[in-house]
Amino acid sequence: MRFDLAFIGFGTVGRGLADLLLEKKEELKKRYGMEYRVVAISDIKVGSILDDRGIDLKEALRLAEARTSLETLPAQKKGLSAIETIRASHSNAIVEVTWTNIVNGEPGYSHIKTALSLGKHVVTTNKGPISLYYRELMKLADANGVKLKFKGTVLSGTPAFNLFDGVLAGCSVSSIRGILNGTTNYILTEMEKGLDYKDALKEAQRLGYAEADPTMDVEGGDAAAKVTILANALLGINIRPDNVKRKGITSVTTKEVKKAKDRGGRIKLIARAEKKGNSILAEVSPIPLPVSDPLANIMGVTNALTFATDCLGNITIVGPGAGRRATGYALLTDLISIANGK
Ligand code: HSE
């Protein structure tokens, strides 16, 4: 299969995918029969170019890293908006990597709807539209005979969703419970070492883990969006982020973190969802866990998720939940699965 890709957004995550596409070009062709061309990039900060004959991705990446406008490159069209780019490019797949907005999902929601309606596949890491409009968007993709893939919205490239239609097919999930936000886990880890909350948050921002608006992380909004996506995709329910009861870590003190440790445990920001008869329990809150719980031992920016299943009991997966390469990889693996007809 050959992808003609349009990048909508070309920040850290988009560039993470670009790195991998360049690095693995030959391997993708040999192992998966997947070829690609980038025909458009539209980004609010580094500009917008469209050329259906193909864009020099390496050069675009170099310019974006140097914060120089992509519009200095030769291209058939320049300066188009994201929606114009989706419409005007002869792309067959859109990489939607604009910022997350869990209030109304925009602008990602409109980007994804437009692309799917035009019969273009979409791969995205955008938690806003997927947490708010999962069923509607999946239906739209189906109706147009294309795929919408969103693996990187939760746990970056660490497998979660596809476990249950892949290697664990036939196994049902009854509840999920995890550490889904790297920033807050990093802050709690640093607080245990003695750093105070504010300094730990500053460091998480400096390291690039936090959302553009870090209140999304520390007040539990990011974890609420992620647990919503997991619950809708794996528990077969239909909730929205505002159905998730949530409390963040802003009121957790270094003293409390130390006290939990002295008692042989750890405070973790736990996101969970469970089907109880006809009702749904969905919650994000800081909870002291005994060290015997695998989630208590997840430190720093790492994420982890425990699935309660009918055939295997509890399964816990641990892996990166943020970062340029890990999240770029989530998009790459989504493209490979589309290329493989999955
Ligand atoms: N801000 C998010 C986190 C990034 O800290 O986990 C990945 O979704």
Coordinates of all heavy atoms in Angstrom, one line a residue, residues 127 180-183 209-211 217 222 226 321-322, ligand 1:
K127 N -6.4 13.3 22.0 CA -7.3 12.7 22.9 C -8.7 13.4 23.0 O -9.7 12.8 23.4 CB -6.7 12.8 24.3 CG -5.4 12.0 24.5 CD -4.5 12.4 25.6 CE -3.5 13.4 25.2 NZ -2.5 13.8 26.2
L180 N -2.0 6.6 34.0 CA -2.1 7.0 32.6 C -1.5 8.4 32.3 O -1.5 8.8 31.1 CB -3.6 7.0 32.2 CG -4.3 5.7 32.3 CD1 -5.8 5.8 31.9 CD2 -3.6 4.6 31.5
N181 N -1.1 9.1 33.3 CA -0.5 10.4 33.1 C 1.0 10.4 33.6 O 1.2 10.2 34.8 CB -1.3 11.5 33.8 CG -0.8 12.8 33.5 OD1 0.0 13.4 34.3 ND2 -1.1 13.5 32.4
G182 N 1.9 10.6 32.7 CA 3.3 10.6 33.0 C 3.7 11.8 33.9 O 4.5 11.6 34.8
T183 N 3.2 12.9 33.6 CA 3.6 14.1 34.3 C 3.3 14.0 35.8 O 4.2 14.3 36.6 CB 2.8 15.4 33.7 OG1 3.1 15.5 32.4 CG2 3.1 16.6 34.5
Y209 N 7.1 16.7 29.2 CA 6.0 15.7 29.5 C 4.6 16.3 29.6 O 3.6 15.7 29.2 CB 6.3 15.0 30.8 CG 7.6 14.3 30.9 CD1 8.3 14.3 32.2 CD2 8.2 13.7 29.8 CE1 9.5 13.7 32.3 CE2 9.5 13.1 30.0 CZ 10.1 13.1 31.2 OH 11.3 12.5 31.3
A210 N 4.6 17.6 30.1 CA 3.3 18.2 30.5 C 2.6 18.6 29.2 O 3.2 18.9 28.2 CB 3.5 19.3 31.4
E211 N 1.2 18.7 29.3 CA 0.4 19.3 28.3 C 0.7 20.8 28.1 O 1.2 21.4 29.1 CB -1.1 19.1 28.6 CG -1.6 17.7 28.7 CD -1.5 17.0 27.3 OE1 -2.1 17.4 26.4 OE2 -0.8 15.9 27.2
D217 N -3.0 18.0 33.2 CA -2.3 16.9 33.8 C -2.6 16.8 35.3 O -3.1 15.8 35.8 CB -0.7 17.0 33.6 CG -0.3 17.0 32.2 OD1 -0.4 15.9 31.6 OD2 0.1 18.0 31.6
D222 N -6.3 15.0 31.7 CA -5.6 14.1 30.8 C -5.9 12.7 31.0 O -6.3 11.9 30.2 CB -4.1 14.4 30.8 CG -3.4 13.6 29.8 OD1 -3.5 13.8 28.6 OD2 -2.7 12.6 30.3
K226 N -8.1 9.8 28.9 CA -7.5 8.5 28.5 C -8.4 7.4 29.0 O -8.6 6.4 28.3 CB -6.1 8.4 29.0 CG -5.2 9.4 28.2 CD -3.8 9.4 28.9 CE -2.8 10.3 28.1 NZ -1.6 10.6 28.9
G321 N 4.5 6.4 28.3 CA 3.2 7.0 28.0 C 3.4 8.3 27.4 O 2.4 9.0 27.1
A322 N 4.6 8.8 27.1 CA 4.8 10.1 26.5 C 6.2 10.1 25.9 O 7.0 9.2 26.1 CB 4.7 11.2 27.6
Ligands
HSE1 N1 0.9 15.1 29.3 C1 0.7 13.7 29.0 C2 1.3 12.9 30.1 C3 1.4 13.4 27.7 O1 2.0 13.5 31.0 O2 1.1 11.7 30.2 C4 1.0 12.1 27.1 O3 -0.3 12.0 26.8

